[in-house]
Amino acid sequence: MTGTDTGIGKTVVSCALAARARQLGLRVQAMKPIESGVVERRVSESGLASDADRLRAACGSTLPLSVVRPYALEEPLAPMIAAARADVRIDIAVLDAALARLEQDADVVLVEGAGGLLVPIDIRLSYLDLFARWHAPLILVAGNKLGVLNHVLLSVRAAEAAGVPVRAIVLTALAHRDATIAEATNFDALVTLLPHYTILRFPWVDRPDDLDILAAAAQGGGLDALLSPSSP
């Protein structure tokens, strides 16, 4: 699970996929390898304070938070910067071990990045590099707003250059109001510009901590296809 930007619905879509997977009888686990800005996050209505907490709850996971989120950093910055400022060295072997543990108990593992695809984990490693290392096809979450066409195309081209397949692009509604012209035309534009890719829509959800509502949104948006090993 990656995105075109920060704050565009990656965690909501990830939780929706996890909740829907459970409805379909699948064992699902989710991972947020590095989460920054943890103490800055507003506590949600459910009382869950971080993305990793919400992912763990959506999966019904009993695994320790240290597995779901190996690294928690206080400042709301790119992991490379937040880790350096906290004098933390991110060890790829720790991330590999956490993923291996999650895979033991799951039919589906969702891995949520931070911000966009090229956000740096350290000076040598971006999330794109991490997903390539793990042979993880991408679900690209894109906020439906002016500028998203450029953001999606840049992300897709970067993934293609790295040989990382893009399984789907999920265009998320960012507000509950009448759509602007850009918002009303972005979906069809992406279908035209990327005819060989799966383009899906995810609606605005008023209660993003209600797992039944999230699962219904995932089903209604056609995201069930992303839970099938035979999907593109």
Side-chain angles (χ1 to χ4, degrees):
M1 307 296 298
T2 189
T4 53
D5 201 350
T6 188
I8 44 76
K10 288 189 302 297
T11 301
V12 171
V13 174
S14 297
C15 288
L17 272 173
R20 180 59 180 156
R22 291 175 68 193
Q23 284 187 348
L24 294 172
L26 297 170
R27 298 176 306 151
V28 59
Q29 296 286 355
M31 179 184 185
K32 182 94 173 181
I34 306 140
E35 185 173 1
S36 58
V38 173
V39 298
E40 300 290 336
R41 296 189 186 280
R42 179 181 65 83
V43 176
S44 64
E45 292 179 4
S46 65
L48 301 174
S50 74
D51 291 349
D53 288 313
R54 294 172 67 189
L55 290 169
R56 187 169 175 266
C59 293
S61 177
T62 58
L63 291 176
L65 194 58
S66 60
V67 174
V68 175
R69 182 190 61 207
Y71 290 97
L73 303 167
E74 289 190 6
E75 293 186 290
L77 302 168
M80 181 182 79
I81 308 302
R85 287 172 58 85
D87 197 25
V88 171
R89 186 180 73 86
I90 295 172
D91 186 346
I92 191 67
V94 171
L95 302 182
D96 288 344
L99 177 64
R101 178 66 186 89
L102 289 163
E103 289 176 332
Q104 292 176 10
D105 298 302
D107 303 306
V108 176
V109 177
L110 304 172
V111 180
E112 184 187 324
L117 188 54
L118 295 181
V119 165
I121 292 171
D122 61 28
I123 196 169
R124 298 170 300 276
L125 189 74
S126 70
Y127 276 96
L128 178 56
D129 299 316
L130 183 65
F131 296 144
R133 176 185 179 90
W134 287 348
H135 304 288
L138 301 179
I139 297 172
L140 177 62
V141 180
N144 188 10
K145 59 182 179 178
L146 184 64
V148 74
L149 302 182
N150 177 60
H151 294 160
V152 167
L153 292 171
L154 286 172
S155 299
V156 168
R157 300 303 178 233
E160 289 175 339
V164 177
V166 177
R167 193 164 191 179
I169 297 151
V170 180
L171 193 65
T172 58
L174 298 177
H176 184 55
R177 54 168 171 71
D178 291 339
T180 65
I181 294 175
E183 293 163 356
T185 58
N186 280 334
F187 180 84
D188 289 339
L190 287 173
V191 171
T192 299
L193 291 164
L194 296 169
H196 303 298
Y197 286 88
T198 298
I199 318 288
L200 302 170
R201 284 188 265 216
F202 192 88
W204 172 259
V205 176
D206 288 316
R207 296 169 59 191
D209 294 316
D210 187 313
L211 296 180
D212 289 333
I213 290 175
L214 288 181
Q219 182 183 18
L223 274 65
D224 281 11
L226 304 182
L227 297 170
S228 167
S230 62
S231 61

